[in-house]
Amino acid sequence: MTPDSPDFRVAVTDLERFIDRILHRAGADVASAQAVTRALVTASRMGTDSHGLRLLPHYIQALQGGRINGRPEMQFTQPLPATGYLDADDGLGHLAGYTAMGHAADMAEKVGLGAVAVGNSSHFGAAGCYALAAAERGLIGMAFCNSDPFVLLHEGRSPFHGTNPIAFAAPVNGQAPYLLDMATSSVPWNRVQQYGAIGRELPDQVAADAKGRVTRTPAEVSALLPLGGSDFGFKGAGLGGMVEILSSTLSGMLNGFRLLPMGGPDMATPRGVGHFFLAMNPDAFNENASFETCLREYLEDLRAQPANEGAEALAPGDREWRCLDMRDANGIPLDRANQAAYAALAEQFDVEPLTPVR
């Protein structure tokens, strides 16, 4: 395969090696580099390419510009047995996310619940990574984050909310976790950029141009539509507001409408993004066997439901776990835009480039 091959795939371990090395060369400390690598590779393994490896060049730019502190001294305080606050010291959001969820999980294991608000953070990639971290400890996890304005209010004319994701994960005994990871917009903003990079048309009812008209051309997109599109976007707009309150208001950060744009041009000023994480211990509500049995029965019933011809009923996470199995076996694909970006990073930081699997 040539470097610009559409079938350019790399092994998980090679991608981890490359991302970790590049981050170190760009000024990230060990913990930050490990957290970013874990989050980006997890997202790409599950097929969430818009929040996976594609984001590495952006984080490098923010580190070098000074917007993100590659060696933060994060401070955690715990006012009550089940609540905490993490000052992320303008570090990488991935380290803040895993750190905060770790504290929330510790509290949940002790007192049944743990909730942590995070301030002075930055973009943290895929919210599902942090909900999943709780599920991997046998807990129910939720993660929320605000961002700068990309999304119209229902019947609004200009962007107000960010994509403001919601993630929820629950452990399933003997199976991969139940995992919901969704933007409160119709699609994530990164999806627009990804489709634009590969020359692909957007689905209908997900984005609008500068005049508020629905468009399917990535280059024309000025804003995203809230979940529900032009007719039922009040649902997505309401959920986006809920995430905003949990993320920025609880943490004392600026609401998304006042945040600096993620894409710059200012890459020197910290943005002050807010997150919120919640962990719940099923044992604290009922006997764990009851939770495990009921969840398994629910998923069995769900997956057994009749579906349209050529389709099947899937639980949240089913597609992602299938993709993960395939990509672990066959490699993670890089489109032409990412191939070029990673080749440039390898040259810039004198790091051995990715090797395609054969």
Side-chain angles (χ1 to χ4, degrees):
M1 288 177 285
T2 60
D4 63 349
S5 167
D7 297 319
F8 191 97
R9 292 174 177 269
V10 297
V12 169
T13 53
D14 193 31
L15 183 61
E16 290 172 334
R17 183 269 310 170
F18 185 90
I19 293 175
D20 184 77
R21 187 68 57 80
I22 292 292
L23 287 162
H24 279 301
R25 295 284 176 88
D29 61 20
V30 172
S32 297
Q34 289 178 343
V36 176
T37 300
R38 176 184 176 186
L40 295 190
V41 174
T42 296
S44 283
R45 289 173 68 206
M46 293 192 297
T48 312
D49 293 313
S50 61
H51 283 64
L53 61 87
R54 194 195 68 78
L55 288 169
L56 180 62
H58 168 76
Y59 297 139
I60 299 303
Q61 184 183 17
L63 279 167
Q64 293 191 305
R67 166 190 282 183
I68 293 178
N69 179 4
R71 301 179 179 277
E73 295 182 4
M74 298 187 179
Q75 300 293 323
F76 177 70
T77 54
Q78 188 176 343
L80 294 169
T83 63
Y85 176 76
L86 180 70
D87 184 330
D89 193 26
D90 301 318
L92 283 149
H94 319 73
L95 179 60
Y98 284 123
T99 301
M101 184 56 88
H103 286 299
D106 290 343
M107 291 186 283
E109 289 173 347
K110 292 179 181 178
V111 299
L113 293 170
V116 177
V118 178
N120 297 313
S121 189
S122 62
H123 191 268
F124 70 0
C129 292
Y130 314 104
L132 180 60
E136 290 170 345
R137 291 178 59 167
L139 306 169
I140 297 169
M142 299 189 74
F144 309 85
C145 180
N146 75 329
S147 73
D148 47 312
F150 294 115
V151 187
L152 299 179
L153 292 172
H154 183 53
E155 297 186 344
R157 291 187 177 183
S158 59
F160 182 75
H161 284 140
T163 51
N164 291 17
I166 297 170
F168 174 93
V172 184
N173 189 33
Q175 299 180 23
Y178 178 103
L179 177 62
L180 171 69
D181 186 358
M182 54 170 275
T184 52
S185 56
S186 293
V187 294
W189 182 261
N190 283 331
R191 189 69 52 82
V192 175
Q193 295 176 305
Q194 180 191 14
Y195 277 34
I198 61 177
R200 184 174 175 182
E201 190 176 56
L202 291 166
D204 193 20
Q205 291 294 315
V206 302
D209 63 18
K211 295 184 179 180
R213 300 173 301 196
V214 175
T215 180
R216 301 185 65 184
T217 303
E220 295 177 354
V221 173
S222 177
L224 302 176
L225 295 179
L227 187 66
S230 55
D231 291 331
F232 298 98
F234 56 87
K235 297 183 178 183
L239 288 172
M242 178 195 75
V243 173
E244 188 68 59
I245 292 169
L246 289 173
S247 300
S248 65
T249 307
L250 274 181
S251 62
M253 296 289 100
L254 295 174
N255 68 64
F257 183 71
R258 297 175 180 269
L259 285 177
L260 289 172
M262 176 180 171
D266 183 351
M267 285 290 173
T269 305
R271 298 173 68 223
V273 175
H275 317 304
F276 181 74
F277 302 92
L278 176 66
M280 296 172 278
N281 188 346
D283 289 342
F285 297 89
N286 203 340
E287 293 183 2
N288 189 46
S290 174
F291 172 79
E292 291 179 357
T293 300
C294 290
L295 180 55
R296 183 180 291 275
E297 289 176 350
Y298 163 71
L299 292 174
E300 288 174 352
D301 289 344
L302 185 157
R303 291 170 178 139
Q305 295 307 299
N308 295 329
E309 184 177 353
E312 61 181 316
L314 298 175
D318 285 354
R319 292 183 188 277
E320 287 80 358
W321 300 126
R322 291 179 184 180
C323 182
L324 182 145
D325 289 340
M326 290 181 59
R327 290 188 170 189
D328 281 357
N330 302 319
I332 295 175
L334 276 72
D335 60 36
R336 286 188 173 89
N338 284 319
Q339 292 169 40
Y342 271 57
L345 287 173
E347 182 175 358
Q348 178 183 355
F349 291 99
D350 192 24
V351 170
E352 181 181 351
L354 294 169
T355 302
V357 296
R358 301 184 183 279

